């Protein structure tokens, strides 16, 4: 059972009801139940409410509603198409070359994995909407914690000191949402806590404006965030802010047309020096006790999960159940039902081939099960085609299992140290200042050594950008990175790299360049006349 998670579950209703979200999410139509209404004035009579309301903002990263895993606080969207981690996974991974979803009647999945999406896609709307709900919740928290409000409530000095950190965390969560929106959609409605809460259509911010805003926010709050590894499980600290900045700088040429690899190295070095270390076992990172086993040394920011308290159809529940093979029925040792979801997930040929060769046969990152299966998937509905993997598990490192056989206890590692090592290497290879070949070699070989890969004495001459792209896939597959990586390497659109079912062709066909960003959802355009559609849609 996760520390702090019970607060998130129980207090999600608080933030849901005390937030004023109409200003930036009018199209979402969030409707609470009448018997759950809580008045904010009464709520804040108890000074513990400040942390509880902040917990509700975090809860939006895990939960979709207050009435169980099927509920959604976004009217018109179900839980499966609006859960933050799941929609992020689908938009970053299902749309690329690593994953196939068998049940194409599930809303939005067929269009995403065949790269034929439109502005009506419910998953595209779900991610856009969920991110804007986080913005709204964070803004409301900031409105409720101004100096004037704290003075009026006679808030104690001790609580005021804590609120400085809470406010920094709220601003970080808002920045994280805008980072996702910038990366996925290229634009977003810009709304902050000082804007009106009614009768206000937020102006549109493009990528350059979003980049500047996110960067300035994260730099401004650095002093007020807790030091790395000192906050409660599931809450953000300085390292999370550094990670977002590092990712922005690594992708800055895509976002704003400027190289910021030196800045990426600067932030990466801060994280590396922040007290993190690699998990002793790669598998620990994806197990039901990854909040207590050696993974706690590596995971910088998790999306927390608990099979009893925060039941949801989030990314780890989807992947553990989904990776169970239709032929293998291998769910029991992974802590779920024997059949799982009957072969919902498989891997595409191009990903499987990254583990070809003798040096990868014992690589612990290689969890591929091939058996009698064909490597090719010529019919997506045939769940017996294509290889499967066993990366995620609802088992623990001590030999027990999670608390529920459907809803897993496995946190999703949104940010972790291995990614930082690979970002350091890439930024160094791309010409950033402040790195060294020696450190790059150390970090890459550490990953290879942890993976039990015999090729773990690589030199700078062995480490190219193409190597980094492939190594990122081996290390970070199914962790919501791949689309972003392929775009940065110039391989997502166009036809210089095709994968199975890219562009709706069984062997892959070229994609137009405008598909580097997703469309602004039709419902969002209808609700805010300041928003404009992305080119090509």
């Amino acid at each position: 059972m996760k520390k702090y998670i019970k607060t998130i579950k129980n207090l999600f209703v608080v933030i849901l009801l005390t937030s004023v979200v109409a200003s930036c999410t009018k199209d979402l139509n969030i409707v609470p139940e009448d018997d759950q209404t809580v008045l904010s004035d009464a709520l804040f009579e108890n000074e513990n409410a400040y942390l509880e309301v902040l917990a509700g903002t975090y809860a939006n990263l895990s939960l979709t509603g207050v009435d169980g895993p099927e509920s959604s606080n976004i009217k018109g969207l179900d839980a499966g198409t609006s859960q933050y981690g799941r929609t992020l996974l689908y938009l970053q991974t299902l749309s690329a070359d690593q994953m196939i979803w068998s049940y194409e009647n599930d809303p939005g999945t067929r269009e995403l994995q065949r790269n034929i999406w439109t502005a009506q896609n419910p998953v595209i709307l779900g991610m856009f909407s969920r991110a804007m709900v986080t913005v709204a919740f964070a803004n409301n928290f900031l409105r409720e914690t101004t100096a004037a409000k704290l003075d009026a409530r006679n808030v104690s000095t001790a609580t005021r000191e804590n609120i400085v950190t809470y406010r920094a965390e709220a601003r970080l969560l808002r920045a994280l949402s805008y980072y996702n929106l910038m990366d996925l959609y290229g634009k977003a409605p810009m709304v902050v806590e000082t804007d009106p809460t009614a009768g206000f259509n937020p102006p549109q911010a493009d990528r350059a404006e979003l980049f500047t805003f996110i960067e300035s926010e994260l730099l401004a709050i650095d002093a007020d965030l807790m030091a790395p590894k000192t906050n409660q499980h599931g809450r953000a600290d300085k390292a999370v802010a550094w990670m977002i900045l590092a990712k922005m700088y690594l992708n800055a040429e895509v976002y704003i047309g400027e190289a910021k690899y030196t800045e990426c190295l600067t932030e990466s070095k801060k994280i590396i020096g922040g007290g993190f270390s690699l998990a002793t076992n790669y598998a620990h990172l994806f197990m039901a006790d990854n909040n207590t086993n050696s993974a706690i040394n590596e995971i910088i920011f998790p999306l927390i999960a608990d099979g009893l308290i925060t039941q949801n159809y989030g990314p780890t529940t989807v992947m553990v159940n989904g990776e169970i093979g239709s032929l293998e029925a291998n769910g029991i040792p992974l802590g779920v039902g024997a059949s799982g979801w009957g072969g919902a997930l498989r891997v595409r040929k191009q990903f499987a081939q990254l583990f070809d060769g003798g040096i990868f046969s014992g690589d612990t990152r290689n969890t591929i099960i091939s058996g009698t299966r064909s490597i090719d998937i010529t019919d997506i509905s045939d769940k017996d085609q294509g290889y499967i993997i066993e990366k995620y598990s609802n088992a623990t490192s001590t030999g027990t299992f999670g608390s529920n056989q459907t809803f897993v206890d496995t946190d999703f590692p949104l940010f972790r140290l291995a990614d930082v090592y690979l970002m350091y290497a890439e930024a160094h290879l791309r010409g950033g200042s402040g790195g060294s070949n020696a450190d790059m070699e150390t970090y890459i070989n550490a990953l290879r050594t942890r993976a039990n890969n015999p090729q773990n004495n690589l030199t700078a001459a062995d480490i190219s950008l193409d190597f980094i792209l492939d190594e990122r896939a081996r290390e970070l597959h199914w962790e919501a990175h791949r689309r972003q990586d392929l775009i940065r390497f110039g391989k997502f659109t166009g036809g210089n790299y095709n994968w199975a079912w890219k562009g709706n062709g069984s062997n892959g066909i070229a994609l137009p360049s405008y598909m580097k960003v997703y469309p602004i959802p039709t419902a969002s355009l209808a609700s805010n006349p300041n928003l404009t559609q992305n080119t090509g849609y």
Side-chain angles (χ1 to χ4, degrees):
M1 192 108 18
K2 310 278 195 283
K3 182 180 179 182
Y4 183 66
I5 200 169
K6 189 171 184 179
T7 300
I8 285 184
K9 167 68 174 180
N10 293 344
L11 275 300
F12 187 45
V13 65
V14 173
I15 189 70
L16 173 64
L17 298 169
T18 58
S19 293
V20 180
V21 299
S23 63
C24 65
T25 56
K26 294 194 305 181
D27 54 310
L28 308 186
N29 198 4
I30 298 175
V31 182
E33 299 293 334
D34 289 342
D35 61 358
Q36 295 173 326
T37 300
V38 180
L39 297 176
S40 62
D41 285 344
L43 171 68
F44 288 110
E45 289 178 2
N46 183 340
E47 292 188 2
N48 292 329
Y50 292 102
L51 178 57
E52 293 167 350
V53 172
L54 178 66
T57 311
Y58 279 103
N60 195 52
L61 302 180
S62 295
L63 300 176
T64 55
V66 299
D67 295 319
E70 305 284 350
S71 67
S72 174
N73 63 331
I74 303 178
K75 189 173 182 179
L77 288 177
D78 66 30
T81 57
S82 64
Q83 202 275 349
Y84 169 75
R86 182 174 181 172
T87 55
L88 182 65
L89 178 75
Y90 281 6
L91 295 183
Q92 296 284 20
T93 302
L94 190 61
S95 63
D97 62 350
Q98 296 178 345
M99 176 185 284
I100 280 285
W101 182 257
S102 302
Y103 304 118
E104 290 198 294
N105 58 329
D106 282 3
T109 56
R110 180 180 188 276
E111 294 78 10
L112 288 176
Q113 67 186 8
R114 294 174 184 254
N115 312 107
I116 53 173
W117 55 74
T118 69
Q120 289 78 40
N121 186 282
V123 179
I124 292 174
L125 173 61
M127 182 65 204
F128 193 93
S129 302
R130 186 60 61 188
M132 290 309 300
V133 169
T134 295
V135 170
F137 288 178
N139 282 339
N140 186 70
F141 181 84
L142 295 171
R143 293 186 191 104
E144 293 294 339
T145 53
T146 62
K149 291 248 180 151
L150 300 182
D151 288 343
R153 295 170 185 152
N154 294 314
V155 174
S156 67
T157 300
T159 298
R160 284 172 181 260
E161 291 175 353
N162 289 331
I163 286 174
V164 172
T165 299
Y166 300 166
R167 285 177 60 86
E169 290 179 51
R171 290 170 70 181
L172 184 148
L173 293 175
R174 182 176 63 184
L176 174 62
S177 289
Y178 275 125
Y179 161 71
N180 292 144
L181 292 165
M182 174 181 66
D183 179 77
L184 294 167
Y185 304 93
K187 61 179 68 168
M190 175 55 67
V191 58
V192 295
E193 71 274 16
T194 55
D195 288 325
T197 59
F200 173 68
N201 286 313
Q204 176 177 281
D206 62 19
R207 264 185 167 164
E209 292 167 322
L210 289 169
F211 191 101
T212 298
F213 173 78
I214 300 163
E215 181 183 39
S216 64
E217 282 287 283
L218 294 174
L219 294 175
I221 63 176
D222 182 78
D224 295 332
L225 291 167
M226 294 186 70
K229 298 178 67 65
T230 62
N231 211 341
Q232 290 174 289
H233 178 74
R235 286 176 58 191
D237 55 30
K238 291 179 188 291
V240 180
W242 300 337
M243 188 73 174
I244 300 170
L245 285 168
K247 287 195 157 294
M248 288 174 54
Y249 293 142
L250 185 65
N251 292 282
E253 283 195 289
V254 173
Y255 298 153
I256 60 172
E258 296 179 26
K260 289 186 175 288
Y261 301 114
T262 297
E263 291 88 338
C264 177
L265 282 166
T266 298
E267 300 304 319
S268 297
K269 289 193 292 185
K270 288 180 187 176
I271 300 167
I272 292 168
F276 298 94
S277 60
L278 294 180
T280 57
N281 187 325
Y282 182 75
H284 285 182
L285 293 158
F286 315 103
M287 302 186 82
D289 61 342
N290 61 357
N291 64 306
T292 58
N293 66 30
S294 71
I296 63 172
N297 297 313
E298 178 170 347
I299 295 176
I300 297 165
F301 190 55
L303 305 180
I304 56 179
D306 186 285
L308 294 180
I309 297 173
T310 58
Q311 292 184 352
N312 65 81
Y313 291 103
T316 51
T317 285
V318 168
M319 287 187 285
V320 176
N321 286 280
E323 69 188 11
I324 308 307
S326 57
L327 299 173
E328 295 78 4
N330 53 318
I332 297 300
L334 297 181
V336 293
S339 299
W341 289 352
L345 286 171
R346 289 159 288 150
V347 297
R348 307 195 201 208
K349 176 181 180 178
Q350 288 71 24
F351 169 74
Q353 290 174 329
L354 289 174
F355 287 100
D356 283 350
I359 65 169
F360 297 110
S361 61
D363 192 307
T364 57
R365 301 169 300 183
N366 179 5
T367 64
I368 292 172
I369 297 175
S370 55
T372 61
R373 293 172 168 272
S374 62
I375 193 172
D376 290 299
I377 300 174
T378 59
D379 179 356
I380 291 177
S381 66
D382 185 347
K383 294 172 285 187
D384 299 344
Q385 293 183 356
Y387 296 168
I388 63 171
I389 63 173
E390 288 186 336
K391 176 166 180 170
Y392 288 87
S393 172
N394 194 33
T396 71
S397 61
T398 58
T400 60
F401 297 104
S403 55
N404 185 288
Q405 280 196 313
T406 297
F407 301 103
V408 305
D409 286 350
T410 312
D411 291 347
F412 182 73
L414 187 66
F415 298 141
R416 62 184 179 95
L417 181 64
D419 189 6
V420 183
Y421 282 177
L422 290 161
M423 288 195 297
Y424 178 105
E426 183 180 339
H428 175 62
L429 290 173
R430 290 188 184 274
S433 300
S436 70
N437 284 347
D439 284 342
M440 176 179 68
E441 293 166 356
T442 296
Y443 300 147
I444 296 301
N445 287 320
L447 296 179
R448 285 293 182 95
T449 299
R450 195 259 300 274
N452 196 36
N453 190 300
Q455 194 182 70
N456 62 352
N457 194 26
L458 298 168
T459 67
D462 302 311
I463 303 171
S464 65
L465 285 174
D466 285 341
F467 171 92
I468 292 297
L469 180 62
D470 288 349
E471 198 70 1
R472 285 186 64 82
R474 297 184 189 106
E475 178 71 32
L476 301 168
H477 59 278
W478 288 23
E479 296 181 49
H481 299 292
R482 188 59 171 174
R483 167 196 159 273
Q484 184 186 82
D485 289 348
L486 290 175
I487 290 172
R488 189 172 64 256
F489 278 79
K491 294 189 175 185
F492 187 74
T493 58
N496 63 338
Y497 172 54
N498 291 331
W499 58 85
W501 296 105
K502 177 182 177 181
N504 204 24
S506 59
N507 294 315
I509 61 175
L511 296 178
S513 62
Y514 71 80
M515 297 188 79
K516 291 176 185 176
V517 292
Y518 288 102
I520 304 301
T522 300
S524 301
L525 290 172
S527 74
N528 185 349
N530 292 327
L531 294 178
T532 60
Q533 187 55 275
N534 284 321
T535 301
Y537 294 105

